[in-house]
């Protein structure tokens, strides 16, 4: 039969080791979660309390009694943790009682230290055989004050937790409930050490659960905050289940030894077989991680992946908001562990979105968007080691996810930009319509009033009124919502109709349009485009010597196989200022005499509404050329 004294010492030693390790672990993680600091101190005090009982068993009575009588500090740290945990969050100052109690913490700690010092200086405990143990701590004298104060602090801490449970919800409410359950277990364990002082000579069997109480308390606190704790708990549960299965297996084997003719092995106590097997199991569990790392290095030599590295990659790849920035960040991240230059390419079909790194790099990583999503490929010009292949493939999967997220983010941003642009146009159109109504009324009055003036002055007034009316009309076209009435049009007939309305004067016209060219377009809007462009050209050509205007059109085939019509208007007037070419189609950038400044902006809006494009070119042999491309020839 196992010696109860040895069992008592083994469990206290195990508890003190668990408490010391837990205190150190909590103190290390308190850098990121400060509320773990008082819980770390609580575990440290529990370790000292267990060491005090062990010291008594080896006749270190002075040290043992001093460590046990310091127990008022244990609930003081627990109360500090409870206050910090309950007050941590958006409702930290909502409960005035909790806030006031936090301000009294220094006083409570001072009182705990004072009670401890008085307990050391006064007769507070005796050590004598009790509870089937040769040496046991019994309260006496001032020690009862020490015990009552400790119990009062513990009750106050549980009251704080209960108040926090009432005011919380979700994960925090469940966490406080788990802490309360573990605290109830702690109260049961602590009472087993006090019973002999009350005259009940019972062995403290509940102390066998002391190591489990400590781990349960810490797990209930941080399980929702730290994933590492959940991973540790899963491993601990696995070891516990394996231990229980091992215990059953040893019982079965010991029963079979006698039947198999091995009486010596059958005579070995079952607990010894279980203990030896448990030690082997723990040794195997301790060797698993180092041997696993060794196997990974043998199978994948070179680069060693870690969870921290992958988390850092994922965090950095989520920051860029543009394709080029993503390519630059990706190249900088993966080139460090691979220790070689590489090239990152991001493509959407055959279109290159971004590229980073030298084109002559030995390793090229490419993320390409296809119809079924993003795909990652790499093309090494040199053979990669297995470790480098694993690193490249893991990084490629993260880069593939980042490309998907960035594509969605840019699409949402573009949609929002389009929505705001449409809203702005609607507001601008309403404003323009209102201004046109308000401006045309006084203009009509001015026109009627000019009828009585002399002919020369009346001519000037009418000219300016027409100019103002043209400006209002252009503003309405630019700001309004374009509604296209598409129909099949012969381009040559349309251009000739517009030219018949223009006063060419001495300008020489060269028309090169085949009668076979047809367009699906809005006739009125297309006339506006031609009138604006031809009027702009004639404004600079009428007084120029040897003025020429050339209008040509032909069919073209795009790279995607679709047909289009390309219309070009050339003139040999003065070339445009290079400084305004990039802003040519913005309102009021280039304004000729008598114009509104909106002509080219209106032209671009109408062409874009038809799905076409317009640009200014200087490489076609003419000083000024405008090229319009209409889809759907």
């Amino acid at each position: 039969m196992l010696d109860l004294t040895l069992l008592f010492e083994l469990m206290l030693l195990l508890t003190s080791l668990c408490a010391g390790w837990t205190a150190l672990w909590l103190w290390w993680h308190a850098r990121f979660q400060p509320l773990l600091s008082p819980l770390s101190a609580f575990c440290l005090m529990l370790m000292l309390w267990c060491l005090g009982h062990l010291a008594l068993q080896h006749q270190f009575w002075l040290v043992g009694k001093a460590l046990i009588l310091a127990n008022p500090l244990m609930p003081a740290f627990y109360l500090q943790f409870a206050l910090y945990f309950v007050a941590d969050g958006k409702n930290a100052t909502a409960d005035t009682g909790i806030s006031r109690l936090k301000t009294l913490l220094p006083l409570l700690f001072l009182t705990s230290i004072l009670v401890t010092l008085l307990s050391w200086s006064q007769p507070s405990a005796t050590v004598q055989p009790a509870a089937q143990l040769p040496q046991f701590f019994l309260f006496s004298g001032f020690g009862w004050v020490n015990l009552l104060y400790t119990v009062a602090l513990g009750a106050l801490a549980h009251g704080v937790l209960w108040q926090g449970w009432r005011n919380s919800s979700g994960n925090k409410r469940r966490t406080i409930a788990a802490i309360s359950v573990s605290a109830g277990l702690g109260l049961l364990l602590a009472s087993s050490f006090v019973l002999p002082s009350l005259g009940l000579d019972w062995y403290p069997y509940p102390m066998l659960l002391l190591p489990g109480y400590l781990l349960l308390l810490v797990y209930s606190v941080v399980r929702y905050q730290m994933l590492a704790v959940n991973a540790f708990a899963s491993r601990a549960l696995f070891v516990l289940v394996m231990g229980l299965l091992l215990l059953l297996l040893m019982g079965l084997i010991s029963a079979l030894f006698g039947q198999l003719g091995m009486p010596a092995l059958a005579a070995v106590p079952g607990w010894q077989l279980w203990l030896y097997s448990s030690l082997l199991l723990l040794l195997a569990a301790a060797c698993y991680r180092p041997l696993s790392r060794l196997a990974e290095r043998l199978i994948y030599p070179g680069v060693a992946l870690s969870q921290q590295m992958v988390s850092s990659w994922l965090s950095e790849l989520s920051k860029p908001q543009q394709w080029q920035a993503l390519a630059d960040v990706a190249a900088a991240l993966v080139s460090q562990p691979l220790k070689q230059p590489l090239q990152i390419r991001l493509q959407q079909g055959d279109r290159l979105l971004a590229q980073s790194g030298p084109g002559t790099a030995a390793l090229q990583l490419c993320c390409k968007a296809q119809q079924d999503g993003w795909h990652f490929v790499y093309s090494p010009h040199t053979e990669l080691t297995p470790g480098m292949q694993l690193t490249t493939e893991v990084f490629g999967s993260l880069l593939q996810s980042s490309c998907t997220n960035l594509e969605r983010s840019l699409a949402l941003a573009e949609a929002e930009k389009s929505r705001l642009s449409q809203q702005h146009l609607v507001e601008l159109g309403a404003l323009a319509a209102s201004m046109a109504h308000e401006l045309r009324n006084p203009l009509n009055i001015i026109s009627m009033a000019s009828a009585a003036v002399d002919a020369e002055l009346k001519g000037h007034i009418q000219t300016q009124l027409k100019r103002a009316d043209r400006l209002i009309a252009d503003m309405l076209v630019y700001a309004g919502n374009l509604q296209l009435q598409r129909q099949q049009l012969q381009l040559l007939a349309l251009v000739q109709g517009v030219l018949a309305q223009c006063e060419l004067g001495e300008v020489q016209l060269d028309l090169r349009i085949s009668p076979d060219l047809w367009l699906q377009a809005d006739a009125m809007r297309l006339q506006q485009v031609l009138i604006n462009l031809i009027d702009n050209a004639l404004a600079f050509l009428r007084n120029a010597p040897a003025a020429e205007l050339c209008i040509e059109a032909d069919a073209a085939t795009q790279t995607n196989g679709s047909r289009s019509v390309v219309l070009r208007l050339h003139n040999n007037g003065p070339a445009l200022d290079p400084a305004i070419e990039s802003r040519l189609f913005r309102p009021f950038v280039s304004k000729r005499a008598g114009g509104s400044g909106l002509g080219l902006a209106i032209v671009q809006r109408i062409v874009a509404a038809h799905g076409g494009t317009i640009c200014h070119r200087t490489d076609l042999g003419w000083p000024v050329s405008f090229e319009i491309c209409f889809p759907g020839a």
Side-chain angles (χ1 to χ4, degrees), residues 529-552:
V529 170
L530 294 171
I531 289 172
N532 271 299
L533 293 176
I534 294 173
D535 278 353
N536 280 346
L538 294 178
F540 294 100
L541 293 175
R542 283 194 179 96
N543 298 322
E548 295 183 40
L549 174 63
C550 176
I551 303 176
E552 62 178 357

PDB file of all heavy atoms in Angstrom, residues 529-552:
ATOM      1  N   VAL A 529     -20.830  65.705 -81.431  1.00  0.00           N
ATOM      2  CA  VAL A 529     -19.396  65.416 -81.427  1.00  0.00           C
ATOM      3  C   VAL A 529     -18.722  66.035 -82.639  1.00  0.00           C
ATOM      4  O   VAL A 529     -17.705  66.742 -82.534  1.00  0.00           O
ATOM      5  CB  VAL A 529     -19.160  63.885 -81.389  1.00  0.00           C
ATOM      6  CG1 VAL A 529     -17.693  63.556 -81.625  1.00  0.00           C
ATOM      7  CG2 VAL A 529     -19.623  63.305 -80.061  1.00  0.00           C
ATOM      8  N   LEU A 530     -19.294  65.804 -83.828  1.00  0.00           N
ATOM      9  CA  LEU A 530     -18.682  66.296 -85.054  1.00  0.00           C
ATOM     10  C   LEU A 530     -18.713  67.825 -85.110  1.00  0.00           C
ATOM     11  O   LEU A 530     -17.731  68.472 -85.534  1.00  0.00           O
ATOM     12  CB  LEU A 530     -19.400  65.706 -86.270  1.00  0.00           C
ATOM     13  CG  LEU A 530     -19.250  64.181 -86.433  1.00  0.00           C
ATOM     14  CD1 LEU A 530     -20.175  63.665 -87.526  1.00  0.00           C
ATOM     15  CD2 LEU A 530     -17.799  63.834 -86.753  1.00  0.00           C
ATOM     16  N   ILE A 531     -19.830  68.429 -84.702  1.00  0.00           N
ATOM     17  CA  ILE A 531     -19.933  69.896 -84.736  1.00  0.00           C
ATOM     18  C   ILE A 531     -18.882  70.523 -83.826  1.00  0.00           C
ATOM     19  O   ILE A 531     -18.206  71.502 -84.196  1.00  0.00           O
ATOM     20  CB  ILE A 531     -21.353  70.338 -84.338  1.00  0.00           C
ATOM     21  CG1 ILE A 531     -22.344  69.974 -85.448  1.00  0.00           C
ATOM     22  CG2 ILE A 531     -21.396  71.833 -84.057  1.00  0.00           C
ATOM     23  CD1 ILE A 531     -23.788  70.189 -85.052  1.00  0.00           C
ATOM     24  N   ASN A 532     -18.718  69.982 -82.630  1.00  0.00           N
ATOM     25  CA  ASN A 532     -17.729  70.539 -81.695  1.00  0.00           C
ATOM     26  C   ASN A 532     -16.325  70.439 -82.263  1.00  0.00           C
ATOM     27  O   ASN A 532     -15.545  71.405 -82.233  1.00  0.00           O
ATOM     28  CB  ASN A 532     -17.799  69.811 -80.355  1.00  0.00           C
ATOM     29  CG  ASN A 532     -18.792  70.440 -79.382  1.00  0.00           C
ATOM     30  OD1 ASN A 532     -18.665  71.598 -78.998  1.00  0.00           O
ATOM     31  ND2 ASN A 532     -19.804  69.672 -79.018  1.00  0.00           N
ATOM     32  N   LEU A 533     -15.960  69.266 -82.782  1.00  0.00           N
ATOM     33  CA  LEU A 533     -14.604  69.082 -83.298  1.00  0.00           C
ATOM     34  C   LEU A 533     -14.364  69.921 -84.561  1.00  0.00           C
ATOM     35  O   LEU A 533     -13.287  70.523 -84.716  1.00  0.00           O
ATOM     36  CB  LEU A 533     -14.362  67.600 -83.594  1.00  0.00           C
ATOM     37  CG  LEU A 533     -14.323  66.668 -82.364  1.00  0.00           C
ATOM     38  CD1 LEU A 533     -14.165  65.221 -82.804  1.00  0.00           C
ATOM     39  CD2 LEU A 533     -13.187  67.051 -81.427  1.00  0.00           C
ATOM     40  N   ILE A 534     -15.345  69.972 -85.471  1.00  0.00           N
ATOM     41  CA  ILE A 534     -15.157  70.749 -86.712  1.00  0.00           C
ATOM     42  C   ILE A 534     -15.144  72.242 -86.408  1.00  0.00           C
ATOM     43  O   ILE A 534     -14.321  72.990 -86.964  1.00  0.00           O
ATOM     44  CB  ILE A 534     -16.261  70.385 -87.730  1.00  0.00           C
ATOM     45  CG1 ILE A 534     -16.101  68.933 -88.176  1.00  0.00           C
ATOM     46  CG2 ILE A 534     -16.219  71.320 -88.937  1.00  0.00           C
ATOM     47  CD1 ILE A 534     -17.234  68.429 -89.061  1.00  0.00           C
ATOM     48  N   ASP A 535     -16.021  72.708 -85.515  1.00  0.00           N
ATOM     49  CA  ASP A 535     -16.023  74.134 -85.157  1.00  0.00           C
ATOM     50  C   ASP A 535     -14.705  74.539 -84.516  1.00  0.00           C
ATOM     51  O   ASP A 535     -14.174  75.637 -84.774  1.00  0.00           O
ATOM     52  CB  ASP A 535     -17.173  74.428 -84.201  1.00  0.00           C
ATOM     53  CG  ASP A 535     -18.490  74.617 -84.939  1.00  0.00           C
ATOM     54  OD1 ASP A 535     -18.450  74.642 -86.185  1.00  0.00           O
ATOM     55  OD2 ASP A 535     -19.540  74.738 -84.275  1.00  0.00           O
ATOM     56  N   ASN A 536     -14.166  73.671 -83.649  1.00  0.00           N
ATOM     57  CA  ASN A 536     -12.869  73.967 -83.019  1.00  0.00           C
ATOM     58  C   ASN A 536     -11.784  74.111 -84.087  1.00  0.00           C
ATOM     59  O   ASN A 536     -10.943  75.017 -84.028  1.00  0.00           O
ATOM     60  CB  ASN A 536     -12.485  72.863 -82.038  1.00  0.00           C
ATOM     61  CG  ASN A 536     -13.186  73.005 -80.703  1.00  0.00           C
ATOM     62  OD1 ASN A 536     -13.766  74.056 -80.409  1.00  0.00           O
ATOM     63  ND2 ASN A 536     -13.153  71.965 -79.891  1.00  0.00           N
ATOM     64  N   ALA A 537     -11.793  73.192 -85.068  1.00  0.00           N
ATOM     65  CA  ALA A 537     -10.771  73.247 -86.119  1.00  0.00           C
ATOM     66  C   ALA A 537     -10.937  74.498 -86.981  1.00  0.00           C
ATOM     67  O   ALA A 537      -9.957  75.204 -87.281  1.00  0.00           O
ATOM     68  CB  ALA A 537     -10.851  71.976 -86.968  1.00  0.00           C
ATOM     69  N   LEU A 538     -12.180  74.810 -87.365  1.00  0.00           N
ATOM     70  CA  LEU A 538     -12.404  75.964 -88.241  1.00  0.00           C
ATOM     71  C   LEU A 538     -12.072  77.278 -87.542  1.00  0.00           C
ATOM     72  O   LEU A 538     -11.699  78.260 -88.202  1.00  0.00           O
ATOM     73  CB  LEU A 538     -13.860  75.982 -88.716  1.00  0.00           C
ATOM     74  CG  LEU A 538     -14.267  74.827 -89.639  1.00  0.00           C
ATOM     75  CD1 LEU A 538     -15.742  74.934 -89.994  1.00  0.00           C
ATOM     76  CD2 LEU A 538     -13.412  74.834 -90.903  1.00  0.00           C
ATOM     77  N   ALA A 539     -12.204  77.334 -86.235  1.00  0.00           N
ATOM     78  CA  ALA A 539     -11.876  78.561 -85.502  1.00  0.00           C
ATOM     79  C   ALA A 539     -10.421  78.944 -85.681  1.00  0.00           C
ATOM     80  O   ALA A 539     -10.064  80.127 -85.616  1.00  0.00           O
ATOM     81  CB  ALA A 539     -12.202  78.375 -84.026  1.00  0.00           C
ATOM     82  N   PHE A 540      -9.556  77.932 -85.900  1.00  0.00           N
ATOM     83  CA  PHE A 540      -8.130  78.226 -86.070  1.00  0.00           C
ATOM     84  C   PHE A 540      -7.695  78.205 -87.536  1.00  0.00           C
ATOM     85  O   PHE A 540      -6.585  78.619 -87.857  1.00  0.00           O
ATOM     86  CB  PHE A 540      -7.291  77.182 -85.297  1.00  0.00           C
ATOM     87  CG  PHE A 540      -7.463  77.244 -83.809  1.00  0.00           C
ATOM     88  CD1 PHE A 540      -8.300  76.354 -83.153  1.00  0.00           C
ATOM     89  CD2 PHE A 540      -6.808  78.191 -83.061  1.00  0.00           C
ATOM     90  CE1 PHE A 540      -8.468  76.398 -81.786  1.00  0.00           C
ATOM     91  CE2 PHE A 540      -6.965  78.254 -81.689  1.00  0.00           C
ATOM     92  CZ  PHE A 540      -7.802  77.357 -81.040  1.00  0.00           C
ATOM     93  N   LEU A 541      -8.562  77.721 -88.445  1.00  0.00           N
ATOM     94  CA  LEU A 541      -8.166  77.574 -89.847  1.00  0.00           C
ATOM     95  C   LEU A 541      -8.660  78.695 -90.748  1.00  0.00           C
ATOM     96  O   LEU A 541      -8.101  78.909 -91.829  1.00  0.00           O
ATOM     97  CB  LEU A 541      -8.688  76.233 -90.405  1.00  0.00           C
ATOM     98  CG  LEU A 541      -8.078  74.950 -89.828  1.00  0.00           C
ATOM     99  CD1 LEU A 541      -8.789  73.732 -90.404  1.00  0.00           C
ATOM    100  CD2 LEU A 541      -6.585  74.879 -90.123  1.00  0.00           C
ATOM    101  N   ARG A 542      -9.722  79.412 -90.363  1.00  0.00           N
ATOM    102  CA  ARG A 542     -10.366  80.352 -91.300  1.00  0.00           C
ATOM    103  C   ARG A 542      -9.410  81.443 -91.778  1.00  0.00           C
ATOM    104  O   ARG A 542      -9.457  81.859 -92.925  1.00  0.00           O
ATOM    105  CB  ARG A 542     -11.590  80.981 -90.638  1.00  0.00           C
ATOM    106  CG  ARG A 542     -12.788  80.040 -90.590  1.00  0.00           C
ATOM    107  CD  ARG A 542     -14.076  80.773 -90.260  1.00  0.00           C
ATOM    108  NE  ARG A 542     -15.217  79.855 -90.248  1.00  0.00           N
ATOM    109  CZ  ARG A 542     -15.712  79.289 -89.155  1.00  0.00           C
ATOM    110  NH1 ARG A 542     -15.151  79.554 -87.968  1.00  0.00           N
ATOM    111  NH2 ARG A 542     -16.731  78.469 -89.224  1.00  0.00           N
ATOM    112  N   ASN A 543      -8.559  81.932 -90.946  1.00  0.00           N
ATOM    113  CA  ASN A 543      -7.672  83.033 -91.320  1.00  0.00           C
ATOM    114  C   ASN A 543      -6.250  82.558 -91.588  1.00  0.00           C
ATOM    115  O   ASN A 543      -5.347  83.379 -91.732  1.00  0.00           O
ATOM    116  CB  ASN A 543      -7.656  84.099 -90.224  1.00  0.00           C
ATOM    117  CG  ASN A 543      -9.026  84.719 -90.012  1.00  0.00           C
ATOM    118  OD1 ASN A 543      -9.765  84.935 -90.981  1.00  0.00           O
ATOM    119  ND2 ASN A 543      -9.364  85.020 -88.765  1.00  0.00           N
ATOM    120  N   ALA A 544      -6.070  81.237 -91.656  1.00  0.00           N
ATOM    121  CA  ALA A 544      -4.729  80.704 -91.901  1.00  0.00           C
ATOM    122  C   ALA A 544      -4.537  80.442 -93.386  1.00  0.00           C
ATOM    123  O   ALA A 544      -5.474  80.030 -94.084  1.00  0.00           O
ATOM    124  CB  ALA A 544      -4.528  79.411 -91.106  1.00  0.00           C
ATOM    125  N   PRO A 545      -3.313  80.684 -93.925  1.00  0.00           N
ATOM    126  CA  PRO A 545      -3.075  80.401 -95.342  1.00  0.00           C
ATOM    127  C   PRO A 545      -2.996  78.893 -95.592  1.00  0.00           C
ATOM    128  O   PRO A 545      -2.492  78.136 -94.760  1.00  0.00           O
ATOM    129  CB  PRO A 545      -1.722  81.072 -95.597  1.00  0.00           C
ATOM    130  CG  PRO A 545      -1.051  81.114 -94.260  1.00  0.00           C
ATOM    131  CD  PRO A 545      -2.132  81.278 -93.250  1.00  0.00           C
ATOM    132  N   ALA A 546      -3.515  78.446 -96.736  1.00  0.00           N
ATOM    133  CA  ALA A 546      -3.482  77.032 -97.151  1.00  0.00           C
ATOM    134  C   ALA A 546      -4.070  76.135 -96.078  1.00  0.00           C
ATOM    135  O   ALA A 546      -3.535  75.073 -95.762  1.00  0.00           O
ATOM    136  CB  ALA A 546      -2.057  76.607 -97.482  1.00  0.00           C
ATOM    137  N   ALA A 547      -5.198  76.554 -95.502  1.00  0.00           N
ATOM    138  CA  ALA A 547      -5.817  75.776 -94.429  1.00  0.00           C
ATOM    139  C   ALA A 547      -6.430  74.501 -94.982  1.00  0.00           C
ATOM    140  O   ALA A 547      -7.079  74.517 -96.039  1.00  0.00           O
ATOM    141  CB  ALA A 547      -6.874  76.603 -93.725  1.00  0.00           C
ATOM    142  N   GLU A 548      -6.242  73.386 -94.267  1.00  0.00           N
ATOM    143  CA  GLU A 548      -6.750  72.091 -94.703  1.00  0.00           C
ATOM    144  C   GLU A 548      -7.433  71.391 -93.537  1.00  0.00           C
ATOM    145  O   GLU A 548      -6.960  71.425 -92.391  1.00  0.00           O
ATOM    146  CB  GLU A 548      -5.619  71.197 -95.222  1.00  0.00           C
ATOM    147  CG  GLU A 548      -4.943  71.698 -96.479  1.00  0.00           C
ATOM    148  CD  GLU A 548      -3.884  70.725 -96.972  1.00  0.00           C
ATOM    149  OE1 GLU A 548      -4.145  69.497 -96.914  1.00  0.00           O
ATOM    150  OE2 GLU A 548      -2.805  71.186 -97.370  1.00  0.00           O
ATOM    151  N   LEU A 549      -8.538  70.743 -93.861  1.00  0.00           N
ATOM    152  CA  LEU A 549      -9.266  69.911 -92.907  1.00  0.00           C
ATOM    153  C   LEU A 549      -9.501  68.559 -93.559  1.00  0.00           C
ATOM    154  O   LEU A 549     -10.066  68.489 -94.657  1.00  0.00           O
ATOM    155  CB  LEU A 549     -10.603  70.556 -92.528  1.00  0.00           C
ATOM    156  CG  LEU A 549     -11.542  69.718 -91.648  1.00  0.00           C
ATOM    157  CD1 LEU A 549     -10.916  69.436 -90.285  1.00  0.00           C
ATOM    158  CD2 LEU A 549     -12.893  70.414 -91.483  1.00  0.00           C
ATOM    159  N   CYS A 550      -9.065  67.514 -92.914  1.00  0.00           N
ATOM    160  CA  CYS A 550      -9.203  66.161 -93.455  1.00  0.00           C
ATOM    161  C   CYS A 550     -10.015  65.313 -92.472  1.00  0.00           C
ATOM    162  O   CYS A 550      -9.715  65.282 -91.271  1.00  0.00           O
ATOM    163  CB  CYS A 550      -7.824  65.540 -93.683  1.00  0.00           C
ATOM    164  SG  CYS A 550      -7.899  63.819 -94.253  1.00  0.00           S
ATOM    165  N   ILE A 551     -11.043  64.637 -92.990  1.00  0.00           N
ATOM    166  CA  ILE A 551     -11.858  63.729 -92.175  1.00  0.00           C
ATOM    167  C   ILE A 551     -11.813  62.364 -92.839  1.00  0.00           C
ATOM    168  O   ILE A 551     -12.207  62.230 -94.007  1.00  0.00           O
ATOM    169  CB  ILE A 551     -13.311  64.216 -92.048  1.00  0.00           C
ATOM    170  CG1 ILE A 551     -13.364  65.637 -91.464  1.00  0.00           C
ATOM    171  CG2 ILE A 551     -14.118  63.261 -91.184  1.00  0.00           C
ATOM    172  CD1 ILE A 551     -14.771  66.220 -91.399  1.00  0.00           C
ATOM    173  N   GLU A 552     -11.333  61.362 -92.137  1.00  0.00           N
ATOM    174  CA  GLU A 552     -11.227  60.023 -92.695  1.00  0.00           C
ATOM    175  C   GLU A 552     -11.756  59.004 -91.689  1.00  0.00           C
ATOM    176  O   GLU A 552     -11.786  59.253 -90.481  1.00  0.00           O
ATOM    177  CB  GLU A 552      -9.774  59.699 -93.050  1.00  0.00           C
ATOM    178  CG  GLU A 552      -8.832  59.708 -91.858  1.00  0.00           C
ATOM    179  CD  GLU A 552      -7.413  59.325 -92.247  1.00  0.00           C
ATOM    180  OE1 GLU A 552      -7.197  58.998 -93.421  1.00  0.00           O
ATOM    181  OE2 GLU A 552      -6.538  59.334 -91.366  1.00  0.00           O
TER     182      GLU A 552
END
